[in-house]
């Protein structure tokens, strides 16, 4: 049965939630969307371009979100949740149908080791034993897990299992001290609005000392068809209640409506209702409740406080405040990629909870350094530089709590004169196109030299034949890129300097291929033979690391940014 819905559908932005976001820069939050989160009337996803399938990266791109962007920017009923997280500085992704839940599997571009927070919004299909083990390992090793259940008998896909049962089974074999009430157990289906019977612990990071403010008695949560949570401090002394049913007792182990716990260096938050996290944006015949935007309640505030705590913010609720900075990055190396760009790479830092981002500092006198960029990866292309100039660099690491490491070693590089010769390289290759649409395959060439070059008559080859010949008059400027797509029809809107293959195909094999670019005389300018390791992930390209570096090795694009590819742009999404 579907829960009762109110008719309050305010299309209002969340008020009072736009605060400095630098502490969360590039911190990745993953919304699990592969366990029937759109079954029946459900719509617990950020965005879906086709009914029933939430794509990995919501569209339009989250890079376009500003402080005034409405939640209708995306089309799922969790769009408000996701858009507000991006406004805070977080990076969000969905785990689509057909994906894998793993921990420590480098072949999986969405392995849980790549994320800081995992949100499980009302799953309607049971997690396999392997999936449960991966999620438990993620938490134990420092991940933040948000369990969003719903009332008993909320079986959207009619398979005999509903979210309280599925999440309780997920907790088999661990001692998190949390249990969602189900079946014949009391308080497994109730309405409670407003629900603001708060803990008296003023250090609570959920309602009293949250990163985004204090919840208000008389507002709290708006619960419309919820199950309650029972906590077991004997099994886990860090299992804590933060909000109780109006008919409950503050401090009791039963009738809890919002709870937290810990495991190893990881954190868990739990709520028994999906209504407070959803909005009225939906499609495909779904029916949703506008809980996130209802100004009568603190739904958004409490959920955002929870994500910040799961990502490492200080406060009570199980787990102590994180004051330990990451170790300093090591092995920083700088090399001039062109007269206007220096490529940087370094060895990752470690942290007791998790590294969130890296800060790049630059100097021209090796004395006074200024911050010039931040990235989640271990490489960076510093562009817009002056020719014939020596630049010095240092890198530090930040964790999600805002602790900054000591400086890395200092490395320097001198940009060549602007008249340095042109040098064309293969920079990015997408062989495993999204959705098996071979027209979307592409090969990106970049001129990393200091002067323009006429590439008329040059050819792009696969292992057996020339697939594209550049037209007469084609000039590739210094530091610029040109992209050859298998078909012009698949060139994304707004992509500059892109062409369709003159042969009508690129014929890039997902199991491995030799790719080369040859000049008009037939001389090989650059070539690369890739294996299935770099072409085995749907929609993810292989890219030089550092980006646009003649000496860089090819890696999965997702190790450089949250995007699966960046044709015609740098790996970080900026223009060449």
């Amino acid at each position: 049965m579907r829960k009762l819905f109110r008719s309050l559908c305010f299309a209002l932005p969340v008020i009072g939630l736009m605060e400095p976001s630098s502490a969360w820069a590039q911190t990745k939050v993953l919304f699990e969307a592969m366990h029937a989160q759109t079954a029946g009337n459900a719509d617990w996803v950020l965005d879906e371009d086709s009914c029933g399938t939430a794509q990995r990266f919501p569209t339009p791109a989250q890079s376009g979100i500003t402080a005034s962007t409405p939640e209708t920017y995306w089309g799922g009923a969790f769009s408000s949740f996701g858009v507000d997280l991006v406004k805070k500085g977080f990076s969000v992704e969905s785990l689509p149908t057909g994906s894998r839940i793993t921990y420590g599997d480098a072949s999986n571009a969405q392995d849980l080791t790549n994320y800081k927070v995992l949100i499980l919004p009302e799953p309607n299909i049971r997690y396999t034993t392997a999936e449960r083990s991966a999620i438990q390992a993620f938490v134990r090793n420092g991940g933040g897990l948000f369990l969003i259940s719903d009332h008993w008998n909320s079986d959207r896909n009619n398979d005999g299992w509903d979210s309280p049962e599925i999440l309780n089974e997920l907790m088999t074999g661990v001692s998190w001290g949390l249990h969602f009430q189900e079946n014949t157990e009391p308080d497994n289906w109730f309405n409670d609005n407003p629900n603001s019977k708060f803990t008296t612990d003023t250090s609570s990071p959920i309602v009293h000392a949250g990163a985004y403010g204090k919840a208000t008695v008389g507002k709290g949560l708006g619960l419309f068809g919820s199950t309650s949570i029972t906590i077991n401090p004997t099994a886990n002394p860090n299992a804590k209640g933060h909000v109780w049913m109006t008919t409950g007792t503050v401090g009791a182990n039963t009738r809890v409506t919002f709870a937290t716990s810990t495991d190893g260096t990881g954190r868990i938050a739990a709520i028994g209702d999906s209504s407070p996290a959803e909005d009225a944006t939906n499609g495909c015949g779904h029916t949703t409740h506008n809980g996130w935007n209802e100004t009568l309640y603190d739904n958004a505030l409490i959920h955002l406080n929870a994500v910040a705590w799961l990502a490492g913010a200080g406060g009570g609720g199980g787990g102590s405040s994180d004051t330990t900075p990451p170790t300093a990055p090591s092995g920083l190396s700088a090399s001039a990629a062109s007269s206007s760009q220096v490529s940087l790479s370094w060895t990752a830092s470690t942290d007791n909870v998790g590294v969130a981002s890296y800060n790049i500092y630059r100097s021209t006198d090796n004395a006074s350094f200024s911050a010039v960029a931040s990235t989640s990866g271990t490489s960076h292309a510093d562009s817009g530089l002056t020719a014939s100039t020596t630049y010095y660099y240092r890198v530090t690491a930040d964790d999600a709590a805002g602790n900054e490491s000591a400086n890395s070693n200092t490395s320097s590089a001198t940009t060549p004169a602007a008249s340095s010769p042109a040098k064309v390289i293969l920079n990015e290759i997408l062989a495993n196109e999204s959705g098996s649409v071979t027209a979307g395959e592409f090969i990106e060439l970049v001129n990393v030299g200091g002067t323009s070059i006429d590439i008329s008559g040059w050819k792009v080859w696969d292992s057996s034949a020339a697939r594209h010949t550049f037209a007469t008059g084609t000039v590739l400027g210094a530091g610029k890129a040109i992209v050859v797509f298998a078909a012009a029809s698949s060139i994304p809107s707004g992509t500059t300097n892109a062409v369709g293959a003159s042969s009508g195909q690129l014929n890039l094999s997902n199991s491995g291929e030799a790719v080369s670019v040859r000049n008009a005389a037939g001389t090989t300018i650059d070539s690369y033979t890739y294996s299935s390791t770099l072409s085995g992930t749907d929609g993810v390209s292989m890219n030089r690391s550092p980006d646009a570096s003649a000496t860089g090795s090819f890696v999965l694009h997702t190790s450089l940014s949250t995007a699966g590819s960046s044709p015609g742009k740098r790996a970080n999404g900026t223009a060449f």
Side-chain angles (χ1 to χ4, degrees):
M1 295 178 65
R2 186 65 185 166
K3 68 181 69 176
L4 297 175
F5 294 111
R6 291 174 53 98
S7 60
L8 296 173
C9 295
F10 301 110
L12 297 175
V14 178
I15 305 298
L17 297 179
M18 288 303 298
E19 299 180 8
S21 61
S22 58
W24 309 115
Q26 301 302 315
T27 300
K28 294 183 180 182
V29 178
L30 181 63
F31 285 75
E32 195 270 293
M34 58 180 288
H35 283 74
Q37 272 83 5
T38 57
N41 286 335
D43 191 343
W44 322 136
V45 297
L46 299 173
D47 185 47
E48 51 181 338
D49 286 349
S50 61
C51 292
T53 303
Q55 68 276 14
R56 176 179 177 182
F57 297 107
T59 56
Q62 57 195 289
S63 58
I65 292 176
T66 68
S68 60
T69 299
E71 53 93 359
T72 51
Y73 188 76
W74 291 332
F78 268 38
S79 59
S80 287
F81 198 167
V83 167
D84 278 332
L85 284 175
V86 175
K87 289 178 180 180
K88 296 296 185 189
F90 291 93
S91 174
V92 300
E93 293 181 24
S94 295
L95 188 66
T97 301
S99 302
R100 294 184 293 138
I101 296 178
T102 62
Y103 185 82
D105 184 348
S107 69
N108 182 6
Q110 289 194 280
D111 186 80
L112 295 182
T113 57
N114 296 315
Y115 303 91
K116 184 55 191 171
V117 177
L118 173 63
I119 298 177
L120 306 183
E122 196 181 332
N124 283 280
I125 297 175
R126 298 166 66 189
Y127 294 97
T128 67
T129 301
E131 289 172 338
R132 295 200 303 268
S133 296
I135 294 170
Q136 293 171 5
F138 166 75
V139 175
R140 189 166 53 251
N141 289 284
L145 180 66
F146 202 159
L147 305 175
I148 300 178
S149 182
D150 205 36
H151 58 79
W152 160 250
N153 199 21
S154 54
D155 180 9
R156 314 293 179 192
N157 60 345
N158 299 312
D159 67 347
W161 285 76
D162 60 14
S163 54
E165 294 176 305
I166 292 169
L167 292 177
N168 285 338
E169 184 182 48
L170 169 66
M171 294 184 277
T172 301
V174 293
S175 299
W176 294 350
L178 305 174
H179 175 81
F180 293 100
Q181 297 294 98
E182 58 179 73
N183 202 353
T184 58
E185 297 171 338
D187 306 311
N188 62 36
W189 190 344
F190 62 90
N191 295 328
D192 196 357
N193 41 83
N195 169 237
S196 59
K197 194 167 248 186
F198 297 151
T199 177
T200 57
D201 180 2
T202 58
S203 70
S204 165
I206 308 302
V207 296
H208 293 307
Y212 301 116
K214 180 179 180 179
T216 302
V217 173
K219 293 182 70 174
L221 293 167
L223 302 177
F224 293 89
S226 177
T227 189
S228 67
I229 303 166
T230 298
I231 61 175
N232 185 352
T234 301
N236 189 323
N238 283 326
K240 295 183 178 181
H242 297 265
V243 190
W244 281 260
M245 294 174 60
T246 300
T247 55
T249 301
V250 171
N253 294 336
T254 59
R255 295 190 169 181
V256 179
T257 57
F258 202 109
T260 61
S261 188
T262 66
D263 184 9
T265 56
R267 299 175 174 186
I268 307 103
I271 184 173
D273 187 10
S274 59
S275 291
E278 64 182 296
D279 58 52
T281 302
N282 55 65
C284 304
H286 301 311
T287 304
T288 56
H289 175 72
N290 198 25
W292 190 272
N293 297 305
E294 284 188 349
T295 56
L296 293 175
Y297 313 116
D298 281 329
N299 293 337
L301 171 67
I302 289 173
H303 282 70
L304 292 171
N305 279 347
V307 173
W309 177 75
L310 291 170
S320 60
S321 178
D322 178 14
T323 59
T324 303
T327 61
S330 59
L332 174 63
S333 174
S335 61
S338 70
S339 60
S340 61
Q341 180 178 305
V342 169
S343 297
L344 305 170
S345 63
W346 58 90
T347 300
S349 300
T350 59
D351 185 67
N352 64 314
V353 176
V355 175
S357 60
Y358 295 92
N359 309 300
I360 294 91
Y361 295 87
R362 184 178 67 204
S363 171
T364 54
D365 61 6
N366 202 22
S368 178
F369 285 80
S370 299
V372 294
S374 177
T375 180
S376 60
T378 55
S379 64
H380 176 69
D382 189 27
S383 58
L385 306 178
T386 303
S388 304
T389 304
T390 300
Y391 292 93
Y392 301 86
Y393 295 89
R394 293 172 180 169
V395 178
T396 64
D398 281 339
D399 62 19
N403 301 306
E404 186 173 14
S405 75
N407 292 325
S408 69
N409 59 295
T410 300
S411 185
S412 65
T414 301
T415 54
S419 58
S420 61
K423 184 174 180 62
V424 178
I425 65 168
L426 296 165
N427 189 61
E428 185 179 3
I429 302 168
L430 177 62
N432 193 340
E433 69 292 335
S434 181
S436 299
V437 180
T438 58
E441 295 175 346
F442 69 79
I443 297 171
E444 179 188 83
L445 308 181
V446 176
N447 179 5
V448 297
T451 57
S452 299
I453 185 171
D454 188 337
I455 59 172
S456 302
W458 287 28
K459 300 179 187 295
V460 173
W461 285 68
D462 66 6
S463 58
S464 59
R467 300 299 177 179
H468 177 71
T469 302
F470 289 99
T472 301
T474 305
V475 175
L476 188 55
K480 299 299 182 180
I482 188 168
V483 189
V484 180
F485 279 83
S489 61
S490 287
I491 298 176
S493 175
T495 303
T496 58
N497 213 20
V499 296
S502 56
S503 70
Q505 63 176 326
L506 287 178
N507 199 38
L508 300 179
S509 171
N510 292 354
S511 61
E513 185 71 63
V515 179
S516 64
V517 55
R518 306 178 191 180
N519 65 17
T523 303
T524 298
I525 302 301
D526 194 17
S527 64
Y528 181 67
T529 300
Y530 62 85
S531 68
S532 59
T533 301
L534 292 177
S535 57
T537 304
D538 193 34
V540 177
S541 69
M542 59 200 85
N543 201 101
R544 294 269 192 176
S545 178
D547 187 35
S549 169
T551 59
S553 57
F554 279 87
V555 300
L556 286 172
H557 195 283
T558 47
S559 68
L560 301 178
S561 78
T562 57
S565 63
S566 57
K569 295 182 179 180
R570 300 186 186 279
N572 62 9
T574 60
F576 275 103

